[in-house]
Amino acid sequence: SLSPLWCPHSKVPMDSNGKRIKSNADLFGPHVAATCSGLSLAVPFIACEGRPLDDIPERKTDAIGRWNCGNIRWLLFKFGVVVALLALLLVPGLQQTLSRLFSPHSAGLTVKMEFRHHNRSVLLYAPEAQFWAKPLPLVVVLHGSNTSIHEMANTTRYYNVMNSALVVYPEMRIAHGLTWEYNASWETSFFRTLPGAVAEAGYSVDPSQVFIVGHSSGGSMSLFLQNNMPSLFRAGAAVESGVGHLEEWNNQSRGRPVMLIWNHNDPVLQEFGGDALYFSSLRQLRRHKPAGATANPWYVTEVVLPATQTSDIEYAQWMAWPATGGASAVEVVSWKTWNPTHSWASQRAIAGAFDASTVTWEFFRRMAQTA
């Protein structure tokens, strides 16, 4: 018969000759302590028969040796270690994937790579791993005049405000050039094939969630592309820029939802017409509105600004014209700094400013949820 189970702090079982009895607890240790309180604990190991230590019957041995409970326990442990090592070796990125899935503070895009497409450099930021290769939204960010893709990435830092998405920074055909080339065949071909190039780089793109945003001359190009290539882009945004090259716009197109971020104390925008360019841009973007291109916004509210000791923001308002009558939605962040600046809105550049990257990304996410 089996010997009594032992509980921690209990008297060690003895046989009639006063010798210690080896019991199940010698194998399972504290795992059987629960039996002392009346609970029954099922232990997934092979039970052993307790006998006096000097009264264990001899068993035949084979080439491996004596197979007692300790041998079996050690064998199972080694087997588990081997299986774990094989899993880590055979499944690429398993350790990183598990770390990402169970980390409570996973945020931002941690993978950075650069590739060539149509003889241009493209900077890509992506999540650490794509489990099951899920298609992700893609945000295309266009830089302004005389700016590199690396400078644009450091200015906007979309990789800090996005998690499950991809962001790319393509360069102009002429690196550090003055302007994008709008309706040129090589330009439209570049953007039409860009999502496929991202897929070739190893990342699956959700074709229904491709967005475009730009700063300065890059913003003017983004406004043009959302209008002339609505089958490619789900929405567009422009930061410190207005419409341009209107002779190349397809005015029959309804375009896509658009956000315009405009600083009324921007010296570069002043050079191109200031408020006159601002209102002409709104008329162009709202030209299909049933109430007319000059209708007042349906909604106006103050932009929530960060609490700071000093601020260079005079005001910041958010205005919205929702999608109606087949016309796409238009949203505007109309703001003004005390000091003249053409900078991308962020606290890194302007004291007390909102973050244009966060605002535009949230706009894209909202537009992706609309029909």
Side-chain angles (χ1 to χ4, degrees):
S1 63
L2 294 177
S3 60
L5 288 177
W6 175 82
C7 295
H9 311 299
S10 68
K11 185 177 179 180
V12 177
M14 300 292 182
D15 65 6
S16 57
N17 297 321
K19 294 183 179 180
R20 180 180 179 273
I21 295 177
K22 185 176 182 180
S23 71
N24 297 342
D26 292 314
L27 176 61
F28 301 127
H31 294 289
V32 299
T35 59
C36 301
S37 59
L39 298 177
S40 176
L41 181 63
V43 183
F45 286 89
I46 301 173
C48 298
E49 182 180 0
R51 297 179 181 273
L53 291 178
D54 60 347
D55 192 28
I56 299 177
E58 292 296 327
R59 293 182 174 88
K60 294 182 180 180
T61 60
D62 55 18
I64 299 177
R66 189 181 302 274
W67 284 92
N68 54 28
C69 291
N71 295 131
I72 296 174
R73 183 186 182 194
W74 177 242
L75 179 62
L76 292 174
F77 172 78
K78 290 194 293 184
F79 179 77
V81 171
V82 171
V83 170
L85 290 175
L86 286 175
L88 289 175
L89 289 174
L90 297 178
V91 182
L94 178 63
Q95 185 178 13
Q96 292 82 356
T97 300
L98 292 177
S99 175
R100 176 177 61 85
L101 289 176
F102 296 104
S103 173
H105 301 295
S106 59
L109 309 179
T110 57
V111 174
K112 176 183 177 182
M113 64 179 294
E114 189 169 347
F115 63 90
R116 301 287 293 179
H117 179 56
H118 286 206
N119 294 320
R120 308 188 195 189
S121 290
V122 179
L123 187 61
L124 166 69
Y125 288 88
E128 183 177 356
Q130 284 199 75
F131 209 51
W132 302 303
K134 176 184 177 182
L136 297 177
L138 173 66
V139 177
V140 181
V141 187
L142 306 184
H143 63 80
S145 303
N146 304 313
T147 305
S148 73
I149 55 178
H150 298 279
E151 291 171 328
M152 189 62 178
N154 185 58
T155 296
T156 59
R157 301 190 184 184
Y158 274 100
Y159 48 78
N160 284 339
V161 302
M162 302 162 65
N163 287 324
S164 298
L166 305 165
V167 57
V168 292
Y169 295 86
E171 69 178 0
M172 295 178 181
R173 185 174 63 89
I174 301 175
H176 298 81
L178 288 176
T179 184
W180 298 84
E181 296 173 274
Y182 289 81
N183 214 30
S185 59
W186 54 83
E187 200 78 286
T188 55
S189 175
F190 172 84
F191 285 103
R192 187 173 290 109
T193 56
L194 183 58
V198 173
E200 291 178 2
Y203 294 91
S204 181
V205 177
D206 183 348
S208 68
Q209 295 192 60
V210 179
F211 309 99
I212 189 161
V213 58
H215 176 245
S216 194
S217 62
S220 296
M221 182 62 170
S222 70
L223 294 176
F224 169 80
L225 289 174
Q226 62 78 30
N227 179 81
N228 281 35
M229 303 180 73
S231 61
L232 175 60
F233 297 106
R234 181 67 187 83
V239 179
E240 308 313 319
S241 53
V243 297
H245 294 257
L246 289 179
E247 70 280 1
E248 298 188 65
W249 275 56
N250 177 10
N251 286 319
Q252 301 304 312
S253 171
R254 297 284 176 169
R256 286 299 194 172
V258 168
M259 170 171 276
L260 190 68
I261 297 180
W262 188 285
N263 179 10
H264 292 271
N265 195 11
D266 185 323
V268 175
L269 294 179
Q270 294 297 330
E271 293 179 10
F272 288 88
D275 284 349
L277 176 60
Y278 170 72
F279 288 112
S280 66
S281 296
L282 289 181
R283 285 193 298 270
Q284 178 68 12
L285 296 173
R286 296 181 293 153
R287 65 190 183 278
H288 295 297
K289 293 292 182 183
T294 60
N296 291 329
W298 285 29
Y299 191 81
V300 179
T301 188
E302 298 296 318
V303 175
V304 178
L305 299 174
T308 57
Q309 293 182 345
T310 60
S311 177
D312 193 30
I313 309 301
E314 183 176 346
Y315 66 83
Q317 289 185 324
W318 175 71
M319 300 178 289
W321 291 263
T324 54
S328 297
V330 176
E331 297 186 12
V332 176
V333 176
S334 174
W335 66 302
K336 186 176 182 180
T337 55
W338 291 107
N339 296 303
T341 180
H342 186 56
S343 297
W344 180 278
S346 73
Q347 290 197 72
R348 296 182 300 277
I350 305 167
F354 58 92
D355 186 80
S357 300
T358 300
V359 172
T360 52
W361 173 233
E362 290 300 323
F363 170 72
F364 292 152
R365 293 177 65 186
R366 283 189 284 108
M367 293 304 103
Q369 297 172 0
T370 61

